[in-house]
Amino acid sequence: MRTFLLCTVILLIYGCTHTPELTNIEAAPRTIPPASVDLAAYQAPQTIGPFTLQGDMAASGNPSRLFRYTSSNAGQTLSIVIYPLPGGWEQMDADQQIAGHYGQVRQDAVKQLIKRGATRVDIENEKTYVDPDSQALTAESSIIATSSAGAAVTQTLMLRRSGPIFIRLGLIDSEKVNNIALARSTLNTFVNTVAAPSADTTDSLTDNAR
């Protein structure tokens, strides 16, 4: 577990220590080139376990789509973002792709929690694993954000590459809990049920890099 106080956040953003599985994260580009994937062709499932699709939106800058879900479990919200791999990254293996991008994803998540009032951030259960069903490499962590009043919020963060896109999952819970198992099953369901573009124009969503 790593702990970050507000006064040490700069160290996190500009290169704090990280687990051995996630090397070379500084090689990640800070922007994503113009999309070569039609993100509008992807249709997310209306329900995933306790989550119901509230809506989706597309970004006008870096091409991406955000799917936001509400939960039947009080205090939980789910967001899933899809966006194309940077140009040339399709030639990299899965280890390089995940290691090269996860650091930026984690940093962005921490910065957002601090903007919402967190004065302490703990990162737990950070690792990469290979999903036994899809054989897709995934990075995951639990980010515990604590306010000055002592209230804790848990964000479970996951990143996976599927076909021509990255999938980033963020599950926020209003309590300090371990939602890794729920996040894993939710991500797998999303990947297995999302309607992807035709295989004639792009790789299948579930054709994961080895």
Side-chain angles (χ1 to χ4, degrees):
M1 181 185 77
R2 292 201 304 280
T3 300
F4 302 90
L5 300 180
L6 184 58
C7 62
T8 64
V9 168
I10 298 300
L11 296 178
L12 169 69
I13 297 173
Y14 293 101
C16 66
T17 58
H18 49 276
T19 55
E21 297 94 330
L22 303 172
T23 57
N24 300 322
I25 62 174
E26 295 304 323
R30 302 306 297 181
T31 59
I32 297 176
S36 58
V37 178
D38 181 11
L39 297 178
Y42 291 85
Q43 299 301 316
Q46 292 295 311
T47 59
I48 308 176
F51 304 104
T52 301
L53 183 64
Q54 185 179 33
D56 71 279
M57 59 186 298
S60 58
N62 290 335
S64 64
R65 285 187 70 192
L66 165 65
F67 301 96
R68 190 175 298 280
Y69 289 81
T70 56
S71 175
S72 59
N73 299 323
Q76 287 184 344
T77 58
L78 171 70
S79 62
I80 300 177
V81 184
I82 63 173
Y83 46 96
L85 273 66
W89 278 40
E90 66 277 1
Q91 305 301 323
M92 300 162 59
D93 63 31
D95 288 335
Q96 293 173 314
Q97 291 166 348
I98 295 300
H101 187 46
Y102 173 76
Q104 177 182 341
V105 168
R106 181 190 60 199
Q107 291 169 8
D108 290 345
V110 170
K111 286 190 289 185
Q112 287 299 315
L113 290 170
I114 291 169
K115 286 182 180 179
R116 295 171 186 170
T119 55
R120 173 182 173 130
V121 177
D122 298 315
I123 298 181
E124 302 178 349
N125 306 311
E126 186 173 76
K127 62 181 289 186
T128 58
Y129 72 95
V130 176
D131 177 69
D133 295 325
S134 66
Q135 295 300 300
L137 185 68
T138 306
E140 67 181 17
S141 62
S142 297
I143 305 176
I144 314 299
T146 307
S147 70
S148 58
V153 172
T154 303
Q155 177 168 346
T156 307
L157 184 65
M158 310 196 79
L159 177 70
R160 179 180 294 180
R161 178 262 172 114
S162 287
I165 64 173
F166 278 121
I167 301 175
R168 185 177 77 235
L169 178 149
L171 171 56
I172 295 181
D173 198 298
S174 59
E175 299 180 355
K176 184 178 179 179
V177 293
N178 187 331
N179 280 326
I180 291 290
L182 176 59
R184 285 187 178 187
S185 64
T186 300
L187 178 61
N188 287 341
T189 300
F190 181 87
V191 171
N192 292 333
T193 58
V194 69
S198 169
D200 294 336
T201 58
T202 186
D203 294 333
S204 168
L205 182 66
T206 56
D207 180 18
N208 295 284
R210 299 294 189 266

